[in-house]
Amino acid sequence: MTAEKVITCKDLTKKFGDFYAVNRISFDVARGEIFGFLGANGAGKTTAMRILCGLSYPSSGEATVAGFNVYKQQESIKKNIGYMSQKFSLYEDLSILENITFFGGVYGVSRKEIKTRSQDLLERLGLQQQAKKMVGELPLGWKQKLAFSVAIFHRPKIVFLDEPTGGVDPVTRRQFWDMIYGAAASGITIFVTTHYMDEAEYCNRISIMVDGRVEALDTPANLKKQFSAADMNEVFYQLARGARRSGE
Amino acid sequence: MQQLFVFIRKEFYHVFRDRRTLLVMFGLPAVQILLFGFAMTSEMKNARMVISDNARDVQSQQLINKIKASSYFTISEAVTDYRDVERAFKKDEVKCALIFPAGFGNDLLNGGRAQVQIITDGSDPNTAKTIINYLTAIITEYRQQQFPAAALPYKITPEIRMLYNEEGNGSLNFIPGVMALILMLVCTALTSVSIVKEKEMGTMEVLLVSPFKPVLVLISKAVPYLVLSFINFTLIVLLSVFALHVEIKGSIFLLFLESTLFIITCLSLGLLISNTTSSQQTALLICMMGLMMPTMVFTGFMFPLENMPWPFRVISNILPSRWYYIIIKAVMLKGLGFKYIWKETLVLAGMTLVLLTIALKKFKIRLQ
Amino acid sequence: MSPLPFILQKEFRQIFRDKTILAMMFALPIIQLIILPLAMNFDVNSVNIAVVDHDHSAYSRQLIAKVLSSGYFNITGSEPSYPRALEHIEKGEADIIMEIPTGFERNLVREGAQKIALSVDAINGTKAFIGSGYLNAIIKDFDENLPLNVTATAAGVGNIDIAYSNWYNPRAESKYYLVPGILVLLLTLIAGFITALNIVKEKETGTIEQINVTPIKKWEFIAGKLIPFWIIGMVVFTLGVLVCRFVYGILPQGSVALLYLFAAVYLVALLGFGLLISTFCDNQIQAMFVAFFFMMIFMLMSGLFTSVESMPPWARTISNLAPITHFIKVVRMIILKGSGMADTSSELAYICGFAVVLNAWAIWNYRKTS
């Protein structure tokens, strides 16, 4: 039995003038997978992800997300995904509860459901006492965890996470990944980009982008074997060594 | 000193990299000075008038033609019914009406005395007064032309000479005022976001860690904008001279020197605002919402300052642009030298010092 | 269930949480409305004049006395020569110089004609022009009332008596003309700036991306921004009307309901304008400069202080392309003349047109996907 493919892309390309940010990438992501989308800064990860989220039009190639076409059916895609960006996720000048209510409502969750689910969420995170606190006052780690919870609040099919653990301490990172496992277990597909190579080990499959191309696509174990590497860092180093674009 | 240049260079990069903002910063004031220089005038022209000629004789026609010939009035329509006159006013289609009774010409020629009625829209009392003056003058002229015998045997004629504005360019009043207004608002706004933006973006820490004296940091923030504003000012002056045909009667050197001083004053004000607000939005709103109208009113180019009750004259004294306006009029349009504007220059210099000192103090507090 | 209620809830929460901006939105315009018109006075009641009397005759002294007694003029000095009097102007002390030539009285009687030189500081604009107008009238009056002329005039020939009627502003107070216009301008500043800045801020901080990735439709996002600011705008307008009434005693001759109708439509147009600006700008500084550009045009070319008709035709076109010009016109018409729906319908159509075009353009411009 083949698992349902929730993300497919074939020869997906995005160019800006002569610059190919994303150069004919092809891969699939199966339902319930934790898919790691790796690469150095500037390799094209964020650009590719933005296309899949319906934030950017591809220059050429095909892609579907949750069965919907990225050219013509962006609004349908958006109804079925969650997103946590690097730069921002929650409104700093609104309280935790207010943020949850907003995003829940925007994705069509009924007020009654919002109430129940938010209680649940707050309990799980241990934030019941701080429900009315401004998000801006939370420490970074808590913000990230909260942002993730909000991203999956409406039970999307897929959740896109762009460098979700940036700047966070190792303990919190571990906790964060626990939450990711929990979400995957409940059937949500996780599409996560990161440049922490050790996090690559947590994924079912990963792909590594170099200079706009996908240079590796397999499970972490297979890749380590393929490159005779002790860990993912090694794998990445071998691939990225010859890269021309290696970020700032 | 070396360090200062490093800082200044960094600030320059910031400013000059943002092409769009740069375009907007230069382009807009330039366009504005052209617009306002050509469009604004204190003269009255083309006032729309409705005429109700119930006489329809040679004399009324002569007078009407005379009015048509002047550039002050535009005849919008000729009606017969009084209600049409009312309607025209209510619809704001005309500012005045001239009504000839039936038999106007006859009364004038045979009876020696005729009547007309002038109705003005009093909404704007000033315009109404001016309309009355001009219209009365035209009627008087008509009378003198048609009936030379009625002229005064002993005639005193006032001869009016326009000083500093020989061509009677109606826009000349506004150009220095608009220049002062634009410079003040733009320069203040530029620096008003400089410091608070860093705070918002979170790059203030960089400044905190640096070994530079706070006063140097402030100066380095202002310098690129000083250069920009100076170029802007030059552009505005060039446009005024070549497109608006304004003659610089006085010393160009003095003009630029004083303007640089004024620019620095405004930049200092902006720095002060930047140090006392917590968000870019607030700083910008203060500059735009808070400064725009008061600057226009209290600089003195739109409304005479002497008419204002004394509390307002005090407020106006605090406004740098009010002093600069005097300077620019004196140097650019009247061709006067430094000895006439030393007082104003001193005031501007004093203001700059005060503003910078307070800004510096606040900046130090903020760093802590 | 539509996201719109949730969006509105969020917007209102954010607006009311930022106390500083909130205070500025209401306090700045109202305070300015109360204070500024008091300072704005077009009336010229004190023109400074320097006199040079070369004649020192009975006539010249009488003329000078007449000028003084008119109450409009303030004589800053009596100088023996023109250059000395000129210094008064250079120092900014005088606006006009009146120079009476030598032998004025004698030559007038002998030759029947004399000239008086009026030198006007033409840069002092309004004051000088109006001042010279008064002076003109005073001299003419003096001339006509000279005993010489009174006895000799061929009366009863070609006299035209003019009956003057001044409609709509019986006490000729500029406040009726200025204050409503200023209210409109302040409202425009607030509504236009705030909307533009607000949205650009979202662009700058990146929160707009979070919106773009949700199923929120374009029109829902825009409505979510327009509605709260529209409500705030109407509140500011109401406060402004109250200030007009209670601080300035301005009672509209026409229908207040009509006034509100126009305000409502105008605000939609204005907010659409702010929105449009925000779609073109990447950061708050740009937005501010663009908004500033337009606000200056609105302030100086809308007929608020200088008349639109006096402008060259191209400038009039520009002025008429600005929604504010029409709203100011209408506000004055309703308050001063009691103009009704029929009289203002064409202006209403204009403003509606602006509202539709600006908002449509903004919505079209706003792209969730780049």
PDB file of all heavy atoms in Angstrom, chain B residues 329-354:
ATOM      1  N   LYS B 329      13.500  85.043   2.946  1.00  0.00           N
ATOM      2  CA  LYS B 329      12.898  86.177   2.254  1.00  0.00           C
ATOM      3  C   LYS B 329      13.924  87.281   2.100  1.00  0.00           C
ATOM      4  O   LYS B 329      14.079  87.869   1.033  1.00  0.00           O
ATOM      5  CB  LYS B 329      11.697  86.717   3.049  1.00  0.00           C
ATOM      6  CG  LYS B 329      10.392  86.109   2.679  1.00  0.00           C
ATOM      7  CD  LYS B 329       9.221  86.930   3.163  1.00  0.00           C
ATOM      8  CE  LYS B 329       9.198  87.098   4.661  1.00  0.00           C
ATOM      9  NZ  LYS B 329       8.035  87.898   5.098  1.00  0.00           N
ATOM     10  N   ALA B 330      14.627  87.540   3.200  1.00  0.00           N
ATOM     11  CA  ALA B 330      15.575  88.651   3.188  1.00  0.00           C
ATOM     12  C   ALA B 330      16.710  88.411   2.202  1.00  0.00           C
ATOM     13  O   ALA B 330      17.066  89.277   1.420  1.00  0.00           O
ATOM     14  CB  ALA B 330      16.127  88.863   4.597  1.00  0.00           C
ATOM     15  N   VAL B 331      17.284  87.215   2.264  1.00  0.00           N
ATOM     16  CA  VAL B 331      18.459  86.970   1.430  1.00  0.00           C
ATOM     17  C   VAL B 331      18.093  86.685  -0.013  1.00  0.00           C
ATOM     18  O   VAL B 331      18.645  87.265  -0.941  1.00  0.00           O
ATOM     19  CB  VAL B 331      19.279  85.786   1.997  1.00  0.00           C
ATOM     20  CG1 VAL B 331      20.432  85.447   1.085  1.00  0.00           C
ATOM     21  CG2 VAL B 331      19.766  86.112   3.381  1.00  0.00           C
ATOM     22  N   MET B 332      17.116  85.785  -0.197  1.00  0.00           N
ATOM     23  CA  MET B 332      16.826  85.357  -1.556  1.00  0.00           C
ATOM     24  C   MET B 332      16.034  86.393  -2.338  1.00  0.00           C
ATOM     25  O   MET B 332      16.337  86.687  -3.493  1.00  0.00           O
ATOM     26  CB  MET B 332      16.052  84.041  -1.505  1.00  0.00           C
ATOM     27  CG  MET B 332      15.978  83.349  -2.840  1.00  0.00           C
ATOM     28  SD  MET B 332      15.586  81.602  -2.644  1.00  0.00           S
ATOM     29  CE  MET B 332      13.959  81.570  -3.313  1.00  0.00           C
ATOM     30  N   LEU B 333      14.994  86.934  -1.707  1.00  0.00           N
ATOM     31  CA  LEU B 333      14.109  87.797  -2.464  1.00  0.00           C
ATOM     32  C   LEU B 333      14.387  89.285  -2.323  1.00  0.00           C
ATOM     33  O   LEU B 333      14.073  90.066  -3.214  1.00  0.00           O
ATOM     34  CB  LEU B 333      12.658  87.518  -2.072  1.00  0.00           C
ATOM     35  CG  LEU B 333      12.198  86.090  -2.361  1.00  0.00           C
ATOM     36  CD1 LEU B 333      10.774  85.892  -1.926  1.00  0.00           C
ATOM     37  CD2 LEU B 333      12.341  85.775  -3.837  1.00  0.00           C
ATOM     38  N   LYS B 334      14.947  89.681  -1.181  1.00  0.00           N
ATOM     39  CA  LYS B 334      15.176  91.117  -1.023  1.00  0.00           C
ATOM     40  C   LYS B 334      16.632  91.495  -1.232  1.00  0.00           C
ATOM     41  O   LYS B 334      16.950  92.665  -1.337  1.00  0.00           O
ATOM     42  CB  LYS B 334      14.741  91.566   0.377  1.00  0.00           C
ATOM     43  CG  LYS B 334      13.266  91.436   0.617  1.00  0.00           C
ATOM     44  CD  LYS B 334      12.874  92.160   1.906  1.00  0.00           C
ATOM     45  CE  LYS B 334      11.443  91.851   2.271  1.00  0.00           C
ATOM     46  NZ  LYS B 334      11.057  92.479   3.556  1.00  0.00           N
ATOM     47  N   GLY B 335      17.496  90.491  -1.255  1.00  0.00           N
ATOM     48  CA  GLY B 335      18.894  90.789  -1.506  1.00  0.00           C
ATOM     49  C   GLY B 335      19.589  91.482  -0.364  1.00  0.00           C
ATOM     50  O   GLY B 335      20.542  92.230  -0.566  1.00  0.00           O
ATOM     51  N   LEU B 336      19.130  91.217   0.847  1.00  0.00           N
ATOM     52  CA  LEU B 336      19.742  91.889   1.988  1.00  0.00           C
ATOM     53  C   LEU B 336      20.933  91.099   2.508  1.00  0.00           C
ATOM     54  O   LEU B 336      21.068  89.916   2.253  1.00  0.00           O
ATOM     55  CB  LEU B 336      18.707  92.038   3.110  1.00  0.00           C
ATOM     56  CG  LEU B 336      17.485  92.859   2.717  1.00  0.00           C
ATOM     57  CD1 LEU B 336      16.481  92.841   3.845  1.00  0.00           C
ATOM     58  CD2 LEU B 336      17.884  94.284   2.390  1.00  0.00           C
ATOM     59  N   GLY B 337      21.772  91.776   3.249  1.00  0.00           N
ATOM     60  CA  GLY B 337      22.988  91.127   3.729  1.00  0.00           C
ATOM     61  C   GLY B 337      22.845  90.615   5.145  1.00  0.00           C
ATOM     62  O   GLY B 337      21.790  90.693   5.763  1.00  0.00           O
ATOM     63  N   PHE B 338      23.927  90.098   5.683  1.00  0.00           N
ATOM     64  CA  PHE B 338      23.910  89.453   6.984  1.00  0.00           C
ATOM     65  C   PHE B 338      23.466  90.390   8.092  1.00  0.00           C
ATOM     66  O   PHE B 338      22.819  89.972   9.046  1.00  0.00           O
ATOM     67  CB  PHE B 338      25.296  88.890   7.296  1.00  0.00           C
ATOM     68  CG  PHE B 338      25.317  88.070   8.543  1.00  0.00           C
ATOM     69  CD1 PHE B 338      24.698  86.829   8.579  1.00  0.00           C
ATOM     70  CD2 PHE B 338      25.947  88.534   9.696  1.00  0.00           C
ATOM     71  CE1 PHE B 338      24.707  86.065   9.730  1.00  0.00           C
ATOM     72  CE2 PHE B 338      25.954  87.770  10.850  1.00  0.00           C
ATOM     73  CZ  PHE B 338      25.335  86.541  10.869  1.00  0.00           C
ATOM     74  N   LYS B 339      23.793  91.656   7.996  1.00  0.00           N
ATOM     75  CA  LYS B 339      23.492  92.543   9.111  1.00  0.00           C
ATOM     76  C   LYS B 339      21.989  92.655   9.353  1.00  0.00           C
ATOM     77  O   LYS B 339      21.560  93.055  10.425  1.00  0.00           O
ATOM     78  CB  LYS B 339      24.100  93.934   8.873  1.00  0.00           C
ATOM     79  CG  LYS B 339      23.385  94.784   7.856  1.00  0.00           C
ATOM     80  CD  LYS B 339      23.937  96.202   7.890  1.00  0.00           C
ATOM     81  CE  LYS B 339      23.068  97.096   7.016  1.00  0.00           C
ATOM     82  NZ  LYS B 339      23.390  98.482   7.058  1.00  0.00           N
ATOM     83  N   TYR B 340      21.182  92.260   8.371  1.00  0.00           N
ATOM     84  CA  TYR B 340      19.742  92.315   8.592  1.00  0.00           C
ATOM     85  C   TYR B 340      19.208  91.030   9.203  1.00  0.00           C
ATOM     86  O   TYR B 340      18.084  90.989   9.672  1.00  0.00           O
ATOM     87  CB  TYR B 340      19.005  92.571   7.268  1.00  0.00           C
ATOM     88  CG  TYR B 340      19.170  93.977   6.772  1.00  0.00           C
ATOM     89  CD1 TYR B 340      20.147  94.295   5.846  1.00  0.00           C
ATOM     90  CD2 TYR B 340      18.353  94.990   7.253  1.00  0.00           C
ATOM     91  CE1 TYR B 340      20.300  95.585   5.403  1.00  0.00           C
ATOM     92  CE2 TYR B 340      18.501  96.283   6.814  1.00  0.00           C
ATOM     93  CZ  TYR B 340      19.481  96.587   5.894  1.00  0.00           C
ATOM     94  OH  TYR B 340      19.635  97.864   5.456  1.00  0.00           O
ATOM     95  N   ILE B 341      19.977  89.975   9.159  1.00  0.00           N
ATOM     96  CA  ILE B 341      19.441  88.702   9.624  1.00  0.00           C
ATOM     97  C   ILE B 341      20.276  88.072  10.724  1.00  0.00           C
ATOM     98  O   ILE B 341      20.118  86.903  11.034  1.00  0.00           O
ATOM     99  CB  ILE B 341      19.313  87.696   8.468  1.00  0.00           C
ATOM    100  CG1 ILE B 341      20.619  87.641   7.681  1.00  0.00           C
ATOM    101  CG2 ILE B 341      18.147  88.046   7.580  1.00  0.00           C
ATOM    102  CD1 ILE B 341      20.659  86.474   6.720  1.00  0.00           C
ATOM    103  N   TRP B 342      21.159  88.838  11.307  1.00  0.00           N
ATOM    104  CA  TRP B 342      22.025  88.229  12.325  1.00  0.00           C
ATOM    105  C   TRP B 342      21.217  87.735  13.505  1.00  0.00           C
ATOM    106  O   TRP B 342      21.518  86.694  14.099  1.00  0.00           O
ATOM    107  CB  TRP B 342      23.114  89.214  12.770  1.00  0.00           C
ATOM    108  CG  TRP B 342      22.604  90.399  13.525  1.00  0.00           C
ATOM    109  CD1 TRP B 342      22.264  91.610  13.018  1.00  0.00           C
ATOM    110  CD2 TRP B 342      22.336  90.473  14.930  1.00  0.00           C
ATOM    111  NE1 TRP B 342      21.823  92.443  14.008  1.00  0.00           N
ATOM    112  CE2 TRP B 342      21.854  91.772  15.193  1.00  0.00           C
ATOM    113  CE3 TRP B 342      22.461  89.576  15.991  1.00  0.00           C
ATOM    114  CZ2 TRP B 342      21.487  92.193  16.468  1.00  0.00           C
ATOM    115  CZ3 TRP B 342      22.095  89.994  17.272  1.00  0.00           C
ATOM    116  CH2 TRP B 342      21.616  91.292  17.494  1.00  0.00           C
ATOM    117  N   LYS B 343      20.155  88.457  13.813  1.00  0.00           N
ATOM    118  CA  LYS B 343      19.349  88.066  14.972  1.00  0.00           C
ATOM    119  C   LYS B 343      18.716  86.695  14.731  1.00  0.00           C
ATOM    120  O   LYS B 343      18.785  85.786  15.575  1.00  0.00           O
ATOM    121  CB  LYS B 343      18.254  89.108  15.202  1.00  0.00           C
ATOM    122  CG  LYS B 343      17.618  89.025  16.585  1.00  0.00           C
ATOM    123  CD  LYS B 343      16.620  90.134  16.802  1.00  0.00           C
ATOM    124  CE  LYS B 343      15.254  89.695  16.321  1.00  0.00           C
ATOM    125  NZ  LYS B 343      14.131  90.506  16.757  1.00  0.00           N
ATOM    126  N   GLU B 344      18.099  86.543  13.557  1.00  0.00           N
ATOM    127  CA  GLU B 344      17.446  85.274  13.237  1.00  0.00           C
ATOM    128  C   GLU B 344      18.454  84.134  13.192  1.00  0.00           C
ATOM    129  O   GLU B 344      18.167  83.016  13.623  1.00  0.00           O
ATOM    130  CB  GLU B 344      16.737  85.367  11.884  1.00  0.00           C
ATOM    131  CG  GLU B 344      15.465  86.212  11.899  1.00  0.00           C
ATOM    132  CD  GLU B 344      15.752  87.693  11.829  1.00  0.00           C
ATOM    133  OE1 GLU B 344      16.903  88.058  11.540  1.00  0.00           O
ATOM    134  OE2 GLU B 344      14.816  88.474  12.057  1.00  0.00           O
ATOM    135  N   THR B 345      19.609  84.424  12.634  1.00  0.00           N
ATOM    136  CA  THR B 345      20.638  83.386  12.568  1.00  0.00           C
ATOM    137  C   THR B 345      21.018  82.925  13.959  1.00  0.00           C
ATOM    138  O   THR B 345      21.149  81.729  14.224  1.00  0.00           O
ATOM    139  CB  THR B 345      21.901  83.935  11.864  1.00  0.00           C
ATOM    140  OG1 THR B 345      21.521  84.609  10.676  1.00  0.00           O
ATOM    141  CG2 THR B 345      22.855  82.801  11.539  1.00  0.00           C
ATOM    142  N   LEU B 346      21.158  83.886  14.849  1.00  0.00           N
ATOM    143  CA  LEU B 346      21.518  83.554  16.224  1.00  0.00           C
ATOM    144  C   LEU B 346      20.457  82.663  16.859  1.00  0.00           C
ATOM    145  O   LEU B 346      20.757  81.679  17.542  1.00  0.00           O
ATOM    146  CB  LEU B 346      21.648  84.847  17.034  1.00  0.00           C
ATOM    147  CG  LEU B 346      22.567  84.772  18.245  1.00  0.00           C
ATOM    148  CD1 LEU B 346      23.974  84.375  17.799  1.00  0.00           C
ATOM    149  CD2 LEU B 346      22.604  86.115  18.960  1.00  0.00           C
ATOM    150  N   VAL B 347      19.221  83.003  16.609  1.00  0.00           N
ATOM    151  CA  VAL B 347      18.130  82.202  17.171  1.00  0.00           C
ATOM    152  C   VAL B 347      18.212  80.764  16.683  1.00  0.00           C
ATOM    153  O   VAL B 347      18.108  79.810  17.466  1.00  0.00           O
ATOM    154  CB  VAL B 347      16.761  82.804  16.788  1.00  0.00           C
ATOM    155  CG1 VAL B 347      15.644  81.866  17.198  1.00  0.00           C
ATOM    156  CG2 VAL B 347      16.571  84.152  17.441  1.00  0.00           C
ATOM    157  N   LEU B 348      18.394  80.599  15.377  1.00  0.00           N
ATOM    158  CA  LEU B 348      18.486  79.246  14.829  1.00  0.00           C
ATOM    159  C   LEU B 348      19.648  78.477  15.446  1.00  0.00           C
ATOM    160  O   LEU B 348      19.519  77.313  15.821  1.00  0.00           O
ATOM    161  CB  LEU B 348      18.666  79.299  13.306  1.00  0.00           C
ATOM    162  CG  LEU B 348      17.396  79.448  12.469  1.00  0.00           C
ATOM    163  CD1 LEU B 348      17.732  79.361  10.998  1.00  0.00           C
ATOM    164  CD2 LEU B 348      16.378  78.388  12.846  1.00  0.00           C
ATOM    165  N   ALA B 349      20.800  79.157  15.551  1.00  0.00           N
ATOM    166  CA  ALA B 349      21.969  78.486  16.112  1.00  0.00           C
ATOM    167  C   ALA B 349      21.679  78.069  17.548  1.00  0.00           C
ATOM    168  O   ALA B 349      21.987  76.939  17.967  1.00  0.00           O
ATOM    169  CB  ALA B 349      23.184  79.412  16.057  1.00  0.00           C
ATOM    170  N   GLY B 350      21.058  78.974  18.291  1.00  0.00           N
ATOM    171  CA  GLY B 350      20.725  78.656  19.678  1.00  0.00           C
ATOM    172  C   GLY B 350      19.801  77.465  19.770  1.00  0.00           C
ATOM    173  O   GLY B 350      19.989  76.552  20.585  1.00  0.00           O
ATOM    174  N   MET B 351      18.766  77.473  18.910  1.00  0.00           N
ATOM    175  CA  MET B 351      17.816  76.355  18.917  1.00  0.00           C
ATOM    176  C   MET B 351      18.530  75.037  18.659  1.00  0.00           C
ATOM    177  O   MET B 351      18.253  74.023  19.309  1.00  0.00           O
ATOM    178  CB  MET B 351      16.771  76.569  17.828  1.00  0.00           C
ATOM    179  CG  MET B 351      15.661  77.485  18.210  1.00  0.00           C
ATOM    180  SD  MET B 351      14.424  77.485  16.896  1.00  0.00           S
ATOM    181  CE  MET B 351      13.353  78.734  17.516  1.00  0.00           C
ATOM    182  N   THR B 352      19.420  75.064  17.668  1.00  0.00           N
ATOM    183  CA  THR B 352      20.139  73.833  17.339  1.00  0.00           C
ATOM    184  C   THR B 352      20.873  73.299  18.547  1.00  0.00           C
ATOM    185  O   THR B 352      20.795  72.104  18.863  1.00  0.00           O
ATOM    186  CB  THR B 352      21.158  74.099  16.217  1.00  0.00           C
ATOM    187  OG1 THR B 352      20.523  74.823  15.184  1.00  0.00           O
ATOM    188  CG2 THR B 352      21.697  72.793  15.669  1.00  0.00           C
ATOM    189  N   LEU B 353      21.586  74.197  19.237  1.00  0.00           N
ATOM    190  CA  LEU B 353      22.342  73.754  20.405  1.00  0.00           C
ATOM    191  C   LEU B 353      21.435  73.134  21.450  1.00  0.00           C
ATOM    192  O   LEU B 353      21.715  72.056  21.974  1.00  0.00           O
ATOM    193  CB  LEU B 353      23.075  74.952  21.017  1.00  0.00           C
ATOM    194  CG  LEU B 353      24.469  75.146  20.427  1.00  0.00           C
ATOM    195  CD1 LEU B 353      24.982  76.533  20.729  1.00  0.00           C
ATOM    196  CD2 LEU B 353      25.411  74.097  21.014  1.00  0.00           C
ATOM    197  N   VAL B 354      20.340  73.828  21.740  1.00  0.00           N
ATOM    198  CA  VAL B 354      19.417  73.322  22.755  1.00  0.00           C
ATOM    199  C   VAL B 354      18.874  71.959  22.359  1.00  0.00           C
ATOM    200  O   VAL B 354      18.884  71.005  23.146  1.00  0.00           O
ATOM    201  CB  VAL B 354      18.250  74.318  22.958  1.00  0.00           C
ATOM    202  CG1 VAL B 354      17.174  73.693  23.822  1.00  0.00           C
ATOM    203  CG2 VAL B 354      18.759  75.595  23.584  1.00  0.00           C
TER     204      VAL B 354
END
